[in-house]
């Protein structure tokens, strides 16, 4: 038997999935057919058992609906205070999400999962609050009735005659870790209703006559049982997949039987009222078959002219499909069946779900009898596809009020833009009539007809189908009235002209139709080319960006150019915190942007989170992590609901995120190159330093060995030479150690200054004595104010600075060396000057380079040294908060100036303390 090895990619995906599940809280849903079956009672009973077992159980929000038995179970359980929100002169009590996140209990009870939160809450729905709690790692228990599931909303409404408006996406139930079915028989539920255990007496009587009829309860119970069975089936299927392992075999070594499906599902969204029911049915069918599904809407030239209400309904249905887990698309073309069949083939869909066509009534039965139904056209174009027709339901989806206002404004703008076309059509007909009237005796009537047809073509090309049809009818009327005998009358003396009129009108309408179709196709191509050009230009510009500031500017400009309005790209700082804009535009909310960044989910306009915001916030997801947030306040909010435009925004955001991550790793690579170069330079310098270290060591060894052979009278001179070489070696090693310590301290903030009030005269005198071996008898002159005050600094380090400056003056300058000190109002100024040749001419204008490590005034010099003395001086002075500089003195020589900050010395008693 061949060895079966696990797929590494599948194993890695399984590990990531397990890690994500471990960090996410568990969701338990108590599911029932209707109110009153005992969901809340069962949830509270289980909570009490968990509390007795020692778990931290917290009541987030529980609705008892006046039931005494349920209220009694709350005794002894910790309850989270509700948050009060003002709304229209009233105060509403809502679940406090932030308090629950701060409390972080082991188990949190959040009743009424389909509840709609009060305006001003973070999320529109309570189930969205639950999603955030689960993401925070909190286990949540909740309750849900079957009529609140989105895919069953229309079905339950048709059965009971009662439509509920608070719904929950089916994915919430599907992703629940546990579903507890709470079930009672219809007779028992009716008895409980009559006993007042479900509603108050006046409400119970009304409910018994409407929703709580026995037939309704039986049907709802069946639906709830089936939906629970589907979830259990999903659990079994998931368990079998886990048991199969990455290699595809079960724990026992035998291959598990595969689950055969009928392929993906494509739901066809139309402009009719029942499109939402089509989407819900497709979602339910996809859930039953455990297959992926898609939703598509075909925009034809005729549908492009729909009014605002119909376009709103289409976008709302597409948004509903996205909420139910579908991948949506808006297709364009003149033939709906052709576009849908091509989309089904492209997506490998086996089943098409379409809405049932409206019955044809009245005169339209005869007028439209030749029209081919969509189902038949699809069957002809794709005979291998399964086509499912969905029954009609009186339900429709609507957009939010903010989006409706923007959509209505767009529709008004489009309506206003149409009227000039009809005016131009009438003006064109009048102009052609005036032009052809003088040519009546010159041109044949057939040529005049050609001129009128040419005007129809021009109007169709410029203004579309409607104005061209008007131009065709006006041209026929003008030709008949002004050019056909008897003139200035609509009467026709020759019957043959009726055929001319018919042909003229038909050709005009046909030409207008074809030209309008070409305009529609050109508009679609232009829109696609515009989206492609935006991506191409952004990708081209980002490829040359080397800094994050460039990426931010280019990304915001590209998004703003495509969507209009305002756009901002927010990035993170060194602490991985989102940096808000320095000048936030109107309506921008930094807290919402931070929420989108931390949760990695879109928020704001056209989303389910804080939808009342005027800005849309998209997290910039890169392959490694979220790099920032793209904030957009579009000129047309409706565009965010169009799938193609939403995908365009997501693609632009992804390009920006990838560019930010690329720039980040470019900076990381640059730092690595710098570190490598530093290491190379360090090795090279160590090689150079070895010469200066080896020379005194060799001399010391030779002198020490010569002591054995030299006569006693020469021992003193040899000893002095040994001391000189030892001092040189000691100075070199001291410089190396001091530089390493100071550089480490400057980089890591560990320089320990032992500040104390010091006498400047004493520190200068100590430095001159310490530098005497290097001075080799050179004269040192001092000059300072006799009333020089005490100054607070580290005496050892400042003495080291002065010693290095004196040694530098002795090496490269000439006697006498002058050391000066003076006190200014807020500074102490120390100067060390020699009377030598001064600084090299090559350093003119860049004297500060003298203080860089391993830099010498003369690159090639017989003077010993490695160029660390002045670098040590700058490090010490910088640690004190001062400055050091070098310049040529006016009358010759080089002068080094040290400026240290100072404050007034304390009183003597305080100084002693």
């Amino acid at each position: 038997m061949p060895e079966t090895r696990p797929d590494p990619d599948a194993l890695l995906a399984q590990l990531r999935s397990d890690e994500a599940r471990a960090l996410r809280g568990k969701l338990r849903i108590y599911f029932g057919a209707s109110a009153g079956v005992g969901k809340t009672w069962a949830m509270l009973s289980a909570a009490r058992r968990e509390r007795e077992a020692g778990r931290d159980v917290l009541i987030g929000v529980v609705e008892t609906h006046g039931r005494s038995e349920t209220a009694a179970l709350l005794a002894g359980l910790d309850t989270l205070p509700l948050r009060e929100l003002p709304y229209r002169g009233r105060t509403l009590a809502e679940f406090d999400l932030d308090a629950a996140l701060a409390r972080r209990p082991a188990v949190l009870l959040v009743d009424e999962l389909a509840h709609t939160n009060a305006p001003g809450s973070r999320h529109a729905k309570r189930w969205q609050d639950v999603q955030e709690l689960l993401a925070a790692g909190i286990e949540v228990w909740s309750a849900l009735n079957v009529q609140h599931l989105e895919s069953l909303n229309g079905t339950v409404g048709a059965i009971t005659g009662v439509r509920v408006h608070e719904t929950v996406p089916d994915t919430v139930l599907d992703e629940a870790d546990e579903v507890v079915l709470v079930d009672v028989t219809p007779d028992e539920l009716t008895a409980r209703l009559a006993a007042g255990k479900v509603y108050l007496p006046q409400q119970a009587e009304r409910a018994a006559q409407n929703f709580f009829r026995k037939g309704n309860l039986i049907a709802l119970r069946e639906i709830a049982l089936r939906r629970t069975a589907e979830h259990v089936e999903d659990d079994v299927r998931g368990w079998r997949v886990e048991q199969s392992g990455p290699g595809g075999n079960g724990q026992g070594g035998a291959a598990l039987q595969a689950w055969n499906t009928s392929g993906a599902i494509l739901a066809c969204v139309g402009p009719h009222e029942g499109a939402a029911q089509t989407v819900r049915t497709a979602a339910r069918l996809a859930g039953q078959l455990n297959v992926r599904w898609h939703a598509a809407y075909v925009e034809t030239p005729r549908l492009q002219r729909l009014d605002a209400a119909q376009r709103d309904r289409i976008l709302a249905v597409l948004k509903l499909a996205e909420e139910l887990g579908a991948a949506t698309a808006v297709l364009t073309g003149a033939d709906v069946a052709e576009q849908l069949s091509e989309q089904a083939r492209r997506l490998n869909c086996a089943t098409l779900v379409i809405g049932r066509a409206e019955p044809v009534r009245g005169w339209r039965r005869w007028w439209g009898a030749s029209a081919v139904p969509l189902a038949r056209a699809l069957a002809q174009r794709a005979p291998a596809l399964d086509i499912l027709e969905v029954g009609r339901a009186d339900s429709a989806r609507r957009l939010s009020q903010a989006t409706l206002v923007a959509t209505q404004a767009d529709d008004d703008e489009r309506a206003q833009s149409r009227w000039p076309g009809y005016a131009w059509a009438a003006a064109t007909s009048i102009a052609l009539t005036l032009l052809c009237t003088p040519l009546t005796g010159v041109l044949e009537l057939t040529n005049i007809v050609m001129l009128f047809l040419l005007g129809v073509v021009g109007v169709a090309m410029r203004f579309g189908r409607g104005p061209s049809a008007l131009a065709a009818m006006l041209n026929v009327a003008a030709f008949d009235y002004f050019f056909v005998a008897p003139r200035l009358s609509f009467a026709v003396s020759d019957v043959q002209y009726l055929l001319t009129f018919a042909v003229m009108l038909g050709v005009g309408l046909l030409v207008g139709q074809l030209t309008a179709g070409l305009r529609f196709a050109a508009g679609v191509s232009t829109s696609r080319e515009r989206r492609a050009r935006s991506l191409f230009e952004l990708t081209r510009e980002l490829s040359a960006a080397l800094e994050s500031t460039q990426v931010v500017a280019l990304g915001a400009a590209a998004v703003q150019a495509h969507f209009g309005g305002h756009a901002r790209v927010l990035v993170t700082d060194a602490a991985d915190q989102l940096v808000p804009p320095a000048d936030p535009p109107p309506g921008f909310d930094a807290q919402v942007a931070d929420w989108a960044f931390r949760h990695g989910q879109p928020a704001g306009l056209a989303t389910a989170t804080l939808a009342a915001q005027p800005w849309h916030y998209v997290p910039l997801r890169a392959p490694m992590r979220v790099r920032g947030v793209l904030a957009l306040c579009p000129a047309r909010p409706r565009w965010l609901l169009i799938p193609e435009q939403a995908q365009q925004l997501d693609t632009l955001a992804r390009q920006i995120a990838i560019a930010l991550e690329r720039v980040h790793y470019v900076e990381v690579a640059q730092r690595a190159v710098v570190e490598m170069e530093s290491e190379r330079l360090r090795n090279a310098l160590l090689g150079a330093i070895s010469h200066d270290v080896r020379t005194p060591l060799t001399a010391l060894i030779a002198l020490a060995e010569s002591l054995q052979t030299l006569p006693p009278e020469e021992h003193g001179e040899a000893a002095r030479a040994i001391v000189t070489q030892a001092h040189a070696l000691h100075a070199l090693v001291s410089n190396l150690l001091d530089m390493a310590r100071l550089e480490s301290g400057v980089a890591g903030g560990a320089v320990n200054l032992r500040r104390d009030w010091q006498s400047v005269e004493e520190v200068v005198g100590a430095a001159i004595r310490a530098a005497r071996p290097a001075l080799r008898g050179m004269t040192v002159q001092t000059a300072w104010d006799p009333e020089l005050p005490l100054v607070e600094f580290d005496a050892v380090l400042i003495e080291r600075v002065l010693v290095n400056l004196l040694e530098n003056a002795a090496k490269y300058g000439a006697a006498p060396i002058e050391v000066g000190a003076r006190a200014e109002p807020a500074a102490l100024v120390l100067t060390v000057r020699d009377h030598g040749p001064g600084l090299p001419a090559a350093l003119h204008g860049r004297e500060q380079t003298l203080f860089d490590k391993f830099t010498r005034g003369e690159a090639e010099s017989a003077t010993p040294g490695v160029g660390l003395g002045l670098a040590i001086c700058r490090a010490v002075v910088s640690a004190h908060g001062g400055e050091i500089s070098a310049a040529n003195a006016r009358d010759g020589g080089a002068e080094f100036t040290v400026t240290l900050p100072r404050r007034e010395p304390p009183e003597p008693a305080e100084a002693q303390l």
Side-chain angles (χ1 to χ4, degrees), residues 668-842:
V668 172
Q670 289 176 345
R671 287 196 297 268
V673 170
V674 170
E675 291 176 359
M676 293 172 60
E677 184 65 20
S678 300
E679 184 66 23
R680 186 193 64 80
L681 179 60
R682 185 180 297 109
N683 293 334
L685 291 172
L686 286 176
I689 293 171
S690 64
H691 173 268
D692 293 279
V693 174
R694 189 180 297 114
T695 299
L697 282 178
T698 303
L700 286 173
I701 294 173
L703 290 171
E705 291 177 347
S706 67
L707 289 176
Q708 301 176 0
T709 59
L710 288 175
E713 59 273 11
E714 298 182 6
H715 284 181
E717 186 176 351
R720 286 191 293 272
I722 291 175
V723 171
T724 302
Q725 295 295 332
H727 277 295
L729 182 61
H730 178 268
L732 177 62
V733 173
S734 298
N735 281 341
L736 290 173
L737 294 176
D738 289 346
M739 192 67 241
R741 180 172 65 88
L742 291 171
E743 188 175 41
S744 174
V746 171
V751 176
N752 185 16
L753 297 179
R754 302 183 62 179
R755 294 177 180 268
D756 200 356
W757 294 99
Q758 307 290 344
S759 170
V760 178
E761 298 92 332
E762 293 181 1
V763 174
V764 172
I768 295 174
R769 288 191 297 272
R772 192 168 301 281
L775 294 174
R776 299 187 301 276
M778 296 179 66
T779 302
V780 178
Q781 299 176 355
T782 59
W784 52 67
D785 187 354
E787 301 297 330
L788 200 64
L790 297 178
V791 181
E792 188 180 25
F793 54 76
D794 189 323
V796 175
L797 293 180
I798 295 300
E799 178 183 332
R800 186 64 179 164
V801 170
L802 294 173
V803 168
N804 286 345
L805 292 178
L806 290 171
E807 291 178 352
N808 183 79
K811 287 180 181 178
Y812 301 100
I817 299 175
E818 299 178 0
V819 179
R822 68 178 184 271
E824 295 184 352
L828 170 68
V829 180
L830 301 174
T831 59
V832 177
R833 178 197 170 185
D834 64 72
H835 289 76
L839 301 179

Side-chain angles (χ1 to χ4, degrees), residues 638-649:
R638 181 174 174 272
W639 275 25
L640 297 177
L641 300 175
I642 301 176
E644 277 70 21
Q645 298 297 340
Q647 293 171 5
Q648 178 78 2
L649 179 62

